[in-house]
Amino acid sequence: MAKLIKLKKGFDLRLEGAIASAKVTDGEKSQHFAVIPDDFRGVIPRMDVKEGARVAAGDVLFHDKNHEEIKVVSPVAGVVKGVNRGERRKLESVVIEADHSNERKQFDISARDAKSILLESGLWSMMRQRPYDIVPNPNAALRDVFVTCFDSAPLAPSLSLVVGEGSRYVEKGVEVLKRLTKGKVYLCCREGEEFSASQAETVVFAGPHPAGNVGVQAANICPVNKGETILTLDIVTLVRIGRLFTEGYVDFGTVVAVAGSAVKEPRYVATTMGCELSALLHDNLTAVPNGVRIINGNVLSGVKTAADGFLRSPYRQVSVIPELLRKDEFMGWASLSARKFSVYRTFTHWLFGGKRKPFAMDSRINGGERAIVMSGEYDRMLPMDIYAEYLIKAIIAFDIDKMEQLGIYEVAPEDFALAEFADTSKLELQQIVRTGLDRMRKEME
C-alpha cells in the first residue's frame, strides 16, 4: 500500500483559462526547432556540429566542457540552420531546420552500462540533481532517485495524460534508474493518478501547490544532507528512459498544455520538443488591447518568451496571460474591488469565494521592492522543514555556514516561486536562490 503524505502549507492559485477537455489535438507543423543551452543548468556548452551540418534525431549538438560525456542532442532530423551567440560569444540557441523525416539515431542498449547510454542519448541532461538543481554530475554517488508524477502548478497539465500509452515503459524506466543508485527509487504521485513499479516505492501526496515540486516531495520523504546527492526527474522523462531501453531510440514527442486567460481555446497539443511557439498558438490567442505575455512553463516559475520563440526543453505547458488588464483603475492598488486578488484578505474577493473561483490576472506585480518583513509568509507557502525567510537572508549575505544549516542543499528556485508570488516585499526570490546555489557550487567545487 502506498504511503500517503498530507501537506497543509502552500496555495492553489486558480486562474482562468484552464483546459476543460482531455482531448489531444495535433499542433501545426513546425519548420524550425531549437535547443536552448540555458535550459541545461550547470552545462558549459561546446559545439559538436557546425552550421549546415545534417543531424538525425538523437545526434549530439553540444557537450559539457567540464564533463565531456554529458551530451545534448537534436530532437529532430534536419540541418543545423543557426548557432546563435550573444555577448562574449555565449551560446544562446541552436536552431535546426527540420526535414520531417523519421531519421533517428539508434542506440545499442546492450553494449554499455545504463549511465553511458543515458549520457550519450541526451536523457541524462534532462534530469537534475540536488544539491544545486543542475544537470547531474556523472561521477556523483546517487543516494536516491525521486520521480514526480504530477504537476500542481497553475494551469499545469495532467502528467498522466501527457504520458498516455507510454505508461507501459514506467517499469523499464525504474529498472534502469535502479541501476544508478544503491538507494531507493520513489514515484511521487497524486491521489487517483498513481503509478507503480516493482522496484520503486510509490508515495502519494495530498495538498496544495507546491506539492507537485519534486524538491518538496524529496524534502518530505528523505531530505538531502550535506555530502549527499539525489537524482530528480519527472514521469515524462522516466517514460523516455524506459522507451530508450526497450526500443533503442529516444522519443522526443510530447504533449503540451496551452492555457491561460488570453487563449481562445485552452487545449492539449501534441508536438515535438523545441518546436516553434507559433505552431502551438496558431490562431488561438484572444485580442488583448495591451498585448499578451507568453510564458514557457507556468506563471510562477516559467520563462517569458517572444511570440517567435521556441518551446523550451523542461516545460510541459505554455501559459498566455494579458500584459495589462485594466490600465486605469479607480484608486489603483488601494481599490476595494472584488476583481483584485490577494493571497490574504487584503481585498474583498474572498467574500465571494475568491480562493475557489478561477481568477483573471495580468503580468503586473502591483508594487515595488521593499525590505523583508519577517512575518512567516514564506514559510506558509513552502511545505519544507526549513526557515525560508532566514535562508533567503543568509543567501543575500552569502553566509555559507548559515546557508548549510538552513537547508540550501534541499531547495531549488521553483520551490520559492509561490512564496515570491505571495511576497509583500516583492523580492525576486527565485533569482536570489539561483544566485546562491551557483555561488555555493563554485565555492564548494
Side-chain angles (χ1 to χ4, degrees):
M1 185 176 178
K3 179 182 179 182
L4 174 63
I5 296 178
K6 295 183 179 180
L7 303 179
K8 294 183 179 180
K9 293 182 179 180
F11 185 83
D12 281 327
L13 180 60
R14 305 183 190 280
L15 299 181
E16 288 186 3
I19 300 175
S21 171
K23 180 183 178 182
V24 178
T25 61
D26 291 328
E28 295 288 320
K29 188 171 289 188
S30 178
Q31 291 299 121
H32 296 89
F33 293 78
V35 176
I36 314 295
D38 282 350
D39 292 338
F40 306 95
R41 178 67 64 172
V43 170
I44 301 175
R46 289 292 180 269
M47 289 299 300
D48 284 78
V49 296
K50 297 180 180 179
E51 287 189 22
R54 172 161 182 76
V55 293
D59 279 347
V60 178
L61 296 177
F62 58 84
H63 65 270
D64 181 25
K65 174 185 174 182
N66 295 327
H67 297 281
E68 294 186 3
E69 61 270 39
I70 297 179
K71 310 290 177 61
V72 176
V73 303
S74 173
V76 293
V79 175
V80 178
K81 201 67 177 178
V83 178
N84 303 314
R85 297 184 180 272
E87 294 183 5
R88 304 179 67 180
R89 292 190 55 76
K90 176 188 176 183
L91 184 61
E92 295 187 337
S93 66
V94 181
V95 179
I96 300 101
E97 184 175 15
D99 59 12
H100 301 292
S101 69
N102 200 32
E103 185 182 356
R104 56 194 176 201
K105 184 175 180 178
Q106 289 289 137
F107 295 88
D108 184 357
I109 57 177
S110 62
R112 292 167 295 172
D113 63 286
K115 183 183 291 185
S116 298
I117 297 171
L118 290 172
L119 287 162
E120 185 67 28
S121 67
L123 288 177
W124 185 270
S125 63
M126 295 184 189
M127 299 185 284
R128 297 294 177 266
Q129 72 165 53
R130 300 287 171 98
Y132 311 129
D133 188 40
I134 58 173
V135 173
N137 183 338
N139 302 321
L142 302 176
R143 192 200 69 192
D144 295 304
V145 179
F146 292 85
V147 183
T148 182
C149 301
F150 71 101
D151 192 343
S152 59
L155 305 177
S158 165
L159 293 188
S160 59
L161 188 148
V162 173
V163 167
E165 295 180 356
S167 58
R168 65 181 183 272
Y169 296 109
V170 168
E171 184 74 43
K172 186 64 175 181
V174 169
E175 178 190 319
V176 173
L177 292 179
K178 188 66 178 173
R179 300 183 212 169
L180 304 178
T181 177
K182 294 181 179 179
K184 295 181 179 180
V185 176
Y186 294 96
L187 297 179
C188 306
C189 306
R190 179 159 48 193
E191 215 164 0
E193 295 183 40
E194 291 95 341
F195 292 87
S196 61
S198 60
Q199 297 187 56
E201 184 174 317
T202 299
V203 182
V204 176
F205 283 83
H209 182 66
N213 285 11
V214 68
V216 170
Q217 295 163 355
N220 283 275
I221 296 173
C222 189
V224 184
N225 297 310
K226 184 178 181 180
E228 297 178 338
T229 302
I230 63 170
L231 186 68
T232 67
L233 63 155
D234 66 9
I235 188 70
V236 182
T237 305
L238 175 68
V239 166
R240 286 198 176 104
I241 293 172
R243 184 188 290 268
L244 168 64
F245 282 82
T246 302
E247 301 181 5
Y249 68 89
V250 181
D251 180 15
F252 294 97
T254 188
V255 174
V256 180
V258 178
S261 57
V263 175
K264 291 180 184 176
E265 182 189 352
R267 59 188 178 182
Y268 288 102
V269 181
T271 186
T272 302
M273 291 172 57
C275 71
E276 295 168 301
L277 289 181
S278 57
L280 296 175
L281 303 174
H282 179 70
D283 198 29
N284 197 26
L285 297 182
T286 58
V288 180
N290 299 292
V292 298
R293 176 166 296 192
I294 301 172
I295 303 167
N296 258 297
N298 64 71
V299 296
L300 297 178
S301 60
V303 178
K304 178 183 176 182
T305 310
D308 60 353
F310 297 88
L311 176 67
R312 304 282 289 264
S313 175
Y315 303 115
R316 317 292 180 207
Q317 71 182 101
V318 175
S319 308
V320 189
I321 59 175
E323 281 287 3
L324 184 61
L325 277 178
R326 296 173 289 275
K327 185 176 181 180
D328 300 311
E329 294 181 294
F330 177 68
M331 295 181 69
W333 63 267
S335 169
L336 297 178
S337 171
R339 294 188 301 174
K340 297 186 75 66
F341 178 87
S342 175
V343 173
Y344 312 106
R345 295 185 175 184
T346 307
F347 303 105
T348 59
H349 78 285
W350 64 273
L351 291 171
F352 308 98
K355 290 190 178 182
R356 297 187 299 274
K357 296 179 180 178
F359 210 85
M361 294 188 186
D362 56 27
S363 61
R364 291 175 293 176
I365 63 173
N366 293 312
E369 187 174 314
R370 57 185 71 90
I372 295 178
V373 179
M374 303 295 285
S375 60
E377 62 182 354
Y378 298 176
D379 295 330
R380 288 196 288 270
M381 299 296 158
L382 187 59
M384 300 171 73
D385 189 20
I386 63 174
Y387 294 106
E389 290 167 348
Y390 291 95
L391 175 58
I392 290 295
K393 294 183 76 173
I395 293 173
I396 293 173
F398 195 57
D399 187 327
I400 294 178
D401 290 338
K402 283 190 176 180
M403 288 163 67
E404 289 183 338
Q405 294 166 8
L406 293 168
I408 186 68
Y409 297 121
E410 297 182 47
V411 302
E414 68 171 3
D415 299 327
F416 283 80
L418 185 64
E420 182 177 304
F421 171 76
D423 184 17
T424 53
S425 300
K426 305 295 181 184
L427 298 181
E428 295 184 353
L429 300 183
Q430 294 180 80
Q431 184 57 50
I432 290 171
V433 173
R434 181 72 268 166
T435 301
L437 290 171
D438 290 344
R439 292 184 65 188
M440 192 79 171
R441 179 165 65 98
K442 186 176 179 180
E443 188 76 18
M444 292 297 147
E445 293 179 355

